[in-house]
Amino acid sequence: MTGAPEFAVEVYQNEYLSVGATEVNAIITVTTTGGAASPTTAAPAGSSAEVIIVDCSGSMHVPRTKLSSAKQATAAAIDTLRDGVLFAVIAGTDEARLVYPYRHDMVEANAQTRAEAKQAVTKLQANGGTAIGKWLQLADSVFATRTSSMRHAILLTDGQNMHETPRQLTRTIDAVTGKFVCDCRGVGTDWEVKELRTIADALLGTVDIVAEPEDLEADFRAMAAQAMDKAVADVSLRLWTPQGASIKYVKQVEPTLADLTARRTEVPPRSGDYPTGSWGSETRDYHVCVQVPAAATGEKMLAGRVSLVLPAADGSDTVVGKGNILAVWTDDTALSTRINREVAHYTGQAELADVIQEGLEARKAGDVETATAKLGRAVKLATETGHSDTAKLLAKVVDIEDAKTGTVRLKRKVAAVDEMTLDTRSSKTMRVRKKSADSADAADSSDAES
């Protein structure tokens, strides 16, 4: 390892409010540099742990390439693990079974254990149902055998959670939240996007579709490699607000959308921590909205203080980055009505994700009017903000008559893979191009376009 990463915090906002206004919005950009390990560098023993969960239900035999590709992908992920990383492999059906190691534990990755694990994976067979909650429970139990700070899981399924109730799955998700990060992948088109998104959001991971089984290997390798790049775990975004102010919401807005508002842990006095998971060398953006008391013209206040906090072994906290959120009340409408370009950019992306997901839900429910309106709005937003990839995905679900106005017609027939790809990737965002502080201050609301 090259040591812990260095954190930098930048705050982007228009601090000017009109008289009587009470809502302050800011984009918090957190950048880490250094800290990532080389692929050839051994991990400190026990510092990182990886669990790979492979769906082995009966449907993984249809087509037969599905299970064989999942085995190859699991082997590729195992090969990607650095020496010293603890790992285990779980087979999921209507039960959960530890495939490797052969006892309830984790083992350090080395040439011998990788070879043993890959040999065990070759023996996997498809048979049984799907109970994803049991898979997560076993993963949590396996992680608990060690004290690793960085815990990451890959979960692959091809079907819906048919062998336990939604309430059972929800209870399990609640129980394992905060214990490990989990990236979820659905192969084929018979799984439920909302189901995997719920798991991924709670466990600070990602969700995506792998339409063709042969693409699993590259995807698994990439997820494992990204997990190996993490250098510090359990980083929190701490927000302090003054007397009379409160946090309205906190959302991760890049690289993916995730609402962290309900994940707050109180830190007296007047502070709260929001989990951000593990970090390597990367940049993420967060949208913070603070509710403040109204004030008169010329009044100024520190509306909030942002800190990046790392937990220490002795229970203390280490602050590794800081930033301030400001509020200034003015009667100059040119100042108070200007929309900060970063705030506008990510507000638009959040709306884009919402209208896509709402439009697809309405389409499933047979509500043509709502689906057309929502997906038309999505086309308009994608066009305005330069989301060309999203626009291409939308064009597979609707016939676009006028992209600028969002005039569309629902396609009569839509391939399930196209609909699910649009749904899963609606929460992926584009980073706004940053300007210098001076040029950002000079930008008007038209600069919100990415």
Side-chain angles (χ1 to χ4, degrees):
M1 301 286 283
T2 60
E6 295 181 357
F7 286 80
V9 175
E10 298 173 278
V11 179
Y12 297 89
Q13 66 166 131
N14 175 19
E15 64 266 34
Y16 293 101
L17 304 178
S18 60
V19 176
T22 61
E23 195 172 283
V24 184
N25 287 275
I27 298 299
I28 313 301
T29 295
V30 180
T31 302
T32 55
T33 54
S38 163
T40 59
T41 302
S47 63
S48 298
E50 185 79 21
V51 171
I52 304 169
I53 306 170
V54 184
D55 188 340
C56 291
S57 61
S59 58
M60 287 291 286
H61 256 324
V62 185
R64 289 186 177 275
T65 54
K66 209 184 283 183
L67 184 59
S68 61
S69 294
K71 292 178 183 181
Q72 292 172 8
T74 303
I78 291 168
D79 280 336
T80 306
L81 303 178
R82 296 190 314 276
D83 283 352
V85 170
L86 295 165
F87 78 102
V89 180
I90 289 172
T93 59
D94 47 309
E95 299 293 337
R97 176 174 65 87
L98 190 62
V99 175
Y100 186 83
Y102 306 118
R103 62 186 185 283
H104 192 76
D105 197 0
M106 305 188 81
V107 295
E108 290 185 21
N110 56 43
Q112 179 181 340
T113 56
R114 286 192 199 92
E116 290 174 351
K118 289 188 290 183
Q119 180 60 33
V121 168
T122 64
K123 299 176 183 178
L124 292 178
Q125 296 183 347
N127 186 30
T130 304
I132 297 175
K134 292 183 178 180
W135 310 354
L136 294 172
Q137 286 177 333
L138 181 55
D140 182 40
S141 175
V142 170
F143 277 126
T145 63
R146 301 298 184 108
T147 58
S148 308
S149 58
M150 284 173 284
R151 300 176 174 185
H152 178 259
I154 294 172
L155 187 155
L156 173 72
T157 186
D158 77 327
Q160 300 176 30
N161 198 49
M162 301 294 290
H163 288 80
E164 58 187 1
T165 66
R167 181 175 295 181
Q168 286 175 313
L169 179 58
T170 297
R171 282 202 299 263
T172 298
I173 293 171
D174 290 342
V176 303
T177 293
K179 304 287 189 66
F180 56 93
V181 173
C182 185
D183 287 324
C184 300
R185 294 295 182 267
V187 59
T189 58
D190 293 329
W191 52 283
E192 181 64 47
V193 175
K194 185 180 289 187
E195 206 163 65
L196 287 197
R197 179 179 283 129
T198 299
I199 297 169
D201 285 352
L203 302 185
L204 301 177
T206 61
V207 61
D208 205 353
I209 182 173
V210 184
E212 300 299 331
E214 55 265 30
D215 294 330
L216 282 172
E217 183 174 343
D219 196 54
F220 268 47
R221 185 179 287 110
M223 283 189 287
Q226 189 173 48
M228 293 303 96
D229 284 341
K230 304 301 182 185
V232 61
D234 300 325
V235 180
S236 294
L237 187 70
R238 178 169 295 174
L239 296 175
W240 171 90
T241 50
Q243 191 80 31
S246 61
I247 300 297
K248 186 174 180 179
Y249 59 77
V250 179
K251 300 176 181 179
Q252 178 180 287
V253 290
E254 211 285 332
T256 58
L257 295 169
D259 193 339
L260 304 176
T261 310
R263 306 287 296 277
R264 178 184 174 100
T265 301
E266 295 297 330
V267 182
R270 298 198 303 275
S271 293
D273 282 358
Y274 300 83
T276 68
S278 301
W279 288 73
S281 292
E282 58 189 297
T283 299
R284 303 182 203 169
D285 291 333
Y286 298 87
H287 186 173
V288 175
C289 183
V290 185
Q291 203 80 36
V292 295
T297 300
E299 291 287 327
K300 301 179 180 179
M301 74 176 292
L302 176 61
R305 183 180 295 117
V306 183
S307 303
L308 262 291
V309 178
L310 305 184
D314 61 2
S316 62
D317 296 324
T318 301
V319 176
V320 293
K322 291 182 179 180
N324 292 328
I325 301 173
L326 308 174
V328 180
W329 282 265
T330 179
D331 56 7
D332 185 340
T333 56
L335 291 176
S336 63
T337 59
R338 188 177 67 218
I339 302 174
N340 173 266
R341 66 191 301 271
E342 284 79 12
V343 172
H345 175 85
Y346 288 120
T347 300
Q349 295 206 73
E351 184 187 357
L352 176 58
D354 286 343
V355 293
I356 287 174
Q357 292 168 26
E358 291 166 3
L360 292 176
E361 282 294 319
R363 185 181 176 278
K364 286 181 183 178
D367 185 347
V368 174
E369 184 178 351
T370 299
T372 302
K374 295 289 186 180
L375 294 174
R377 175 63 177 163
V379 167
K380 185 175 186 294
L381 285 170
T383 302
E384 290 174 345
T385 55
H387 281 64
S388 57
D389 288 345
T390 302
K392 290 176 183 176
L393 294 174
L394 282 161
K396 295 181 178 181
V397 178
V398 295
D399 290 317
I400 301 173
E401 296 181 356
D402 188 333
K404 290 184 178 180
T405 62
T407 304
V408 304
R409 288 180 293 107
L410 296 185
K411 288 183 180 290
R412 288 190 175 185
K413 292 185 178 180
V414 177
V417 65
D418 292 331
E419 188 174 27
M420 293 176 72
T421 300
L422 174 61
D423 195 352
T424 56
R425 295 180 186 169
S426 63
S427 56
K428 293 185 177 180
T429 56
M430 291 168 47
R431 169 156 286 111
V432 63
R433 292 192 298 272
K434 304 297 185 187
K435 293 184 177 182
S436 66
D438 291 341
S439 62
D441 287 341
D444 62 21
S445 59
S446 65
D447 267 341
E449 187 172 322
S450 65

